[in-house]
Amino acid sequence: MLTALRKLQTTTEHLTPLHPELLLLCLLSKSYKIGLSILEDDIFEVDQPRDLFLYCYYGGMICIGQKRFGKALELLRNVITAPMNAINAIAVEAYKKYILVSLIQHGQFSTSLPKYTSSVAQRNLKNLCQPYIELAHTYGNGRITMLENYVQANREKFENDNNLGLAKQVVSSMYKRSIQRLTLTYLTLSLQDIADAVQLSTPKEAEMHVLQMIQDGEIFASINQKDGMVSFLEDPEQYKTCEMIEHIDSSIQRMMTLSKKLTSMDELLSCDPLYLGKVGRERQRFDFDDFDTVPQKFPI
């Protein structure tokens, strides 16, 4: 299917009907790495709107599976802000996941959507995803017990939406953020103190959370198993290794390419007859009386 997709593409910027089908196949087979290789291409040419909705939705799910929550947010945001004349099920499901991933990635969620979002989406999405909006409000209160109780009370709803796993990660992310706040205040803490501070039942649970955060690169710390003490460390990255320099350089090159592409698209759009006709119709007309009169003589 990947070979067929490449043959159908006129350029790597072209979204074909096979893109969402391939991403769905990657999801069902859990071949996330193949899906990620497809998502690396920047898309600028779309034939059918439905293909774009499904491509971004399935792509967001693949990124969630790989815990690349930043990229997942970008793709899910594309779904809910894409132009639409009527609300669709893909956008609703994407918005539910967008709320959950926002809480995991940023620890907060804003109900305000970008101004370029269609009026249909702005009016309907919040009402159709009310349990998720309430979950975000509960998260914002900062009480882990209340959040756990809410997830448990709405377990069936999250399970029916296939979002129970994400909802549990939202609860886990609150523990992680509480531990991250401790690193800003303390240099060393016992596992018991960490468990008490973040409302965990036992020091063992605290140890598991700290170990997982160290493994994920979310904090820098070491655990002394003998006395149960955790030492918080500074970020060891000095941003001067060859790998980091190559990463920064590739990011700069990509930004420059995107900038040139946007400039080109802006020039094409500014010359498009349909766009010019629409702008001409919407432009406010001024009467002669709206302008200040030009004086015929100037005082010397």
Side-chain angles (χ1 to χ4, degrees), residues 2 16 38 107 114 142 169 199-200 235 238 242 245 258 261 267:
L2 180 59
T16 71
I38 301 299
Q169 288 187 62
Q199 303 174 41
L200 287 166
D235 184 352
Q238 299 297 314
C242 293
I245 292 171
L258 285 174
K261 185 68 179 179
E267 291 173 353

Side-chain angles (χ1 to χ4, degrees), residues 73 98-111 136-137 139-140 173 177:
L73 275 178
Y98 181 76
I99 295 172
L100 297 174
V101 176
S102 294
L103 294 174
I104 294 170
Q105 179 71 2
H106 300 304
Q108 59 185 1
F109 171 75
S110 173
T111 54
H137 290 326
Y139 190 102
S173 74
R177 294 196 184 283

